[in-house]
Amino acid sequence: MIKKIIYLIPLFFLFSLTTKNKKFDSYIEKDLPYLKALYIDIHQNPEISLMEKETSIKLANELRKVGFDVEENFGGYGVVGILKNGKGPTILYRTDMDALPMEEKTDLPYASNVITKNFDGNNVGTMHSCGHDMHMAVWTGTARALVERKDEWNGTIMMIGQPAEEIGAGAAMMLNEGLYDKFPVPDYGIGLHSSPIIPSGKVGFGKGYIMANTESVDIKVFGQGSHGAAPHMSIDPIVTASVIIMELQTIVSRNLNPLDDAVITVGSIKGGTKHNIIPDEVDLQLTIRTYKEEVRNLIHKRIKEICDGIAASMGLDKSRYPKVILPESFTPANYNDEELVDLMTSVSNSIIGKENVVVSEPQMVGEDFARYGSTEEDIPTVMYWLGTVPKERMDKYNLGEYALPALHSPYYYPDIENSISTGVKVSTESLIKLFNN
Ligand SMILES: [Zn+2]
Ligand SMILES: [Zn+2]
């Protein structure tokens, strides 16, 4: 008898889990037209970084509708929605809200044709090409689902609508405004990002560092201008800059431990006005990507040493050595807490099937979500990849007939329904599991 009961217990759990899954599936199916309409509305009305006024109003209204206390304009157009549901942990769940200054080139019937006057006064096409519209739809769906399933969890959910992710500023703006002083300090933080390579219906998780610390460094190279035909009377900053650029290539290859990852890219070199003038100055613009703080510090040190050394060899006076301008702010590397990844992976396995949960490789792109876990409170965070590639594109890609558009491509678009329902399922179930942990 006892043996029988022992056999029956896991069966019973499995049974109740499947009925629960089914119940939630049919709930999401019912809510999907609402979320799809919201997605399309946001997609057709994109707003660039620091201009997310209407988008933030939309999100605030969505939260209020289902009973959240909402604070608006918190750190720019930031939205903070709080729902207290008894005693339990506080969990932060963030979406970003900004679009990009670029023209949409998809042929979709709901494509954006919005033109924005940017801060420089220029008219720019505007598009949600980084999937932030999808993030908002999933976020709203998750808030609604958590309210629907209120009797299954206890704690406080803190929904964050963050502005200005694309310029790496929004998370810092909200934290500097006192996010963790004015509101409860969360015990965990969760976020997601649309993936342009994972098919819709699937999600991806990576442990540890998943996205890099990104920063922009400027180098001003000085020289002594002259006639192009009289180089002996110059100290040519174009030649100096060229030597510096080549020498920078040795930092990753020769100075770093081969097992550490980093990228140093010189993305812009500007100097001179005309064929026959040796200019006085050259400007270089670099992007640097790293994971570890000590690697980042070593790269800064080597850039400075290389610049000084080459300037000395060119015969420049110390006062004319290159000026290396390190950024005051940067986007820290995203570190996925290993236990949170394990928890979310097992939740995802049971809710969408093991075959739909993939392990993701780390990337050198950046995301300022990292900031929520980089304060002195050191809260564990996780950001997962939400597959968004529509089946018709994936099929062509698998046949080798098609290159998938990346994020920030004017041709990128997600599979709306499948991505939203997968995102809402994974986010909601993970949050409920975490509240009950
Ligand atoms: Zn982006
Ligand atoms: Zn993004």
Side-chain angles (χ1 to χ4, degrees):
M1 184 65 184
I2 287 175
K3 238 187 187 173
K4 253 189 195 162
I5 289 174
I6 290 173
Y7 283 132
L8 282 173
I9 287 171
L11 267 178
F12 172 74
F13 274 124
L14 200 66
F15 176 71
S16 67
L17 200 68
T18 8
T19 11
K20 228 192 214 171
N21 283 359
K22 276 202 184 127
K23 215 175 126 199
F24 193 39
D25 282 354
S26 71
Y27 160 80
I28 291 178
E29 212 169 291
K30 264 190 250 143
D31 210 33
L32 206 48
Y34 183 87
L35 298 174
K36 185 180 177 182
L38 175 72
Y39 170 84
I40 289 178
D41 176 27
I42 294 175
H43 185 82
Q44 288 184 312
N45 296 287
E47 294 175 301
I48 58 171
S49 309
L50 303 174
M51 293 191 185
E52 309 89 343
K53 189 172 176 204
E54 299 304 324
T55 310
S56 70
I57 292 172
K58 268 174 212 165
L59 293 194
N61 287 341
E62 287 302 329
L63 292 184
R64 268 194 205 107
K65 243 187 245 177
V66 289
F68 278 75
D69 285 329
V70 183
E71 174 122 1
E72 287 174 84
N73 303 323
F74 191 85
Y77 288 116
V79 175
V80 185
I82 301 278
L83 186 77
K84 287 192 178 135
N85 186 28
K87 236 180 134 128
T90 296
I91 309 180
L92 174 152
Y93 177 29
R94 172 269 211 174
T95 181
D96 33 19
M97 304 190 288
D98 51 339
L100 283 151
M102 59 190 286
E103 188 191 333
E104 176 159 355
K105 291 185 179 160
T106 67
D107 293 328
L108 296 167
Y110 55 87
S112 153
N113 40 42
V114 169
I115 307 279
T116 308
K117 196 178 269 306
N118 69 9
F119 287 106
D120 300 330
N122 300 319
N123 286 331
V124 287
T126 312
M127 178 190 181
H128 268 295
S129 54
C130 201
H132 298 185
D133 45 359
M134 176 54 64
H135 306 170
M136 288 183 262
V138 171
W139 181 88
T140 304
T142 303
R144 292 164 65 82
L146 283 174
V147 171
E148 172 80 16
R149 297 176 61 179
K150 230 173 153 182
D151 54 344
E152 290 176 52
W153 59 275
N154 285 119
T156 299
I157 180 76
M158 183 177 185
M159 302 293 286
I160 301 289
Q162 184 207 297
E165 188 283 323
E166 292 292 355
I167 56 169
M173 283 160 63
M174 293 188 78
L175 288 162
N176 293 341
E177 188 80 20
L179 187 66
Y180 292 172
D181 302 323
K182 195 150 180 212
F183 301 98
V185 177
D187 297 290
Y188 310 100
I190 288 185
L192 65 87
H193 205 292
S194 296
S195 162
I197 49 170
I198 301 176
S200 68
K202 297 188 184 222
V203 293
F205 293 100
K207 273 187 186 176
Y209 287 114
I210 55 148
M211 288 187 211
N213 176 318
T214 76
E215 58 188 337
S216 304
V217 173
D218 290 90
I219 303 177
K220 205 173 227 344
V221 180
F222 300 105
Q224 187 177 305
S226 169
H227 195 291
H232 60 292
M233 296 174 77
S234 77
I235 299 178
D236 188 342
I238 289 193
V239 174
T240 310
S242 309
V243 180
I244 289 173
I245 292 169
M246 294 314 292
E247 204 64 27
L248 293 176
Q249 311 308 313
T250 65
I251 299 178
V252 173
S253 70
R254 300 294 88 183
N255 301 138
L256 257 51
N257 181 326
L259 299 177
D260 283 331
D261 297 306
V263 176
I264 301 173
T265 291
V266 180
S268 161
I269 162 164
K270 286 192 188 116
T273 52
K274 200 174 177 299
H275 308 66
N276 61 355
I277 301 173
I278 294 172
D280 263 336
E281 292 176 9
V282 170
D283 289 307
L284 303 178
Q285 294 183 324
L286 285 65
T287 187
I288 297 177
R289 310 285 163 120
T290 49
Y291 288 122
K292 294 184 191 161
E293 194 55 21
E294 62 261 34
V295 172
R296 180 170 166 255
N297 291 335
L298 175 65
I299 289 175
H300 289 175
K301 181 171 158 275
R302 285 300 294 144
I303 290 177
K304 191 90 189 60
E305 286 168 356
I306 286 170
C307 285
D308 287 355
I310 291 168
S313 76
M314 293 291 176
L316 277 160
D317 182 74
K318 235 183 177 162
S319 64
R320 302 279 286 163
Y321 280 9
K323 199 163 155 195
V324 178
I325 305 154
L326 298 172
E328 274 174 26
S329 69
F330 54 91
T331 305
N334 257 289
Y335 187 87
N336 268 357
D337 181 80
E338 307 210 347
E339 279 174 33
L340 281 181
V341 171
D342 285 339
L343 178 139
M344 286 191 74
T345 304
S346 87
V347 167
S348 305
N349 285 345
S350 72
I351 195 94
I352 59 170
K354 220 176 174 165
E355 66 285 5
N356 292 318
V357 182
V358 299
V359 175
S360 304
E361 296 287 322
Q363 298 193 21
M364 280 305 192
V365 294
E367 236 284 4
D368 74 352
F369 174 72
R371 288 195 186 280
Y372 298 100
S374 307
T375 63
E376 57 180 19
E377 288 86 359
D378 199 23
I379 65 165
T381 59
V382 66
M383 170 162 266
Y384 75 91
W385 289 105
L386 175 67
T388 61
V389 185
K391 190 174 177 319
E392 67 272 12
R393 283 191 160 176
M394 210 65 214
D395 288 347
K396 275 198 207 162
Y397 170 76
N398 287 335
L399 289 170
E401 293 170 356
Y402 184 74
L404 292 172
L407 295 173
H408 294 204
S409 155
Y411 301 100
Y412 169 78
Y413 66 82
D415 170 357
I416 305 176
E417 274 133 331
N418 206 8
S419 308
I420 292 179
S421 70
T422 308
V424 174
K425 276 183 209 171
V426 168
S427 292
T428 307
E429 295 287 355
S430 300
L431 285 164
I432 291 176
K433 177 90 185 171
L434 208 47
F435 276 119
N436 290 312
N437 211 21

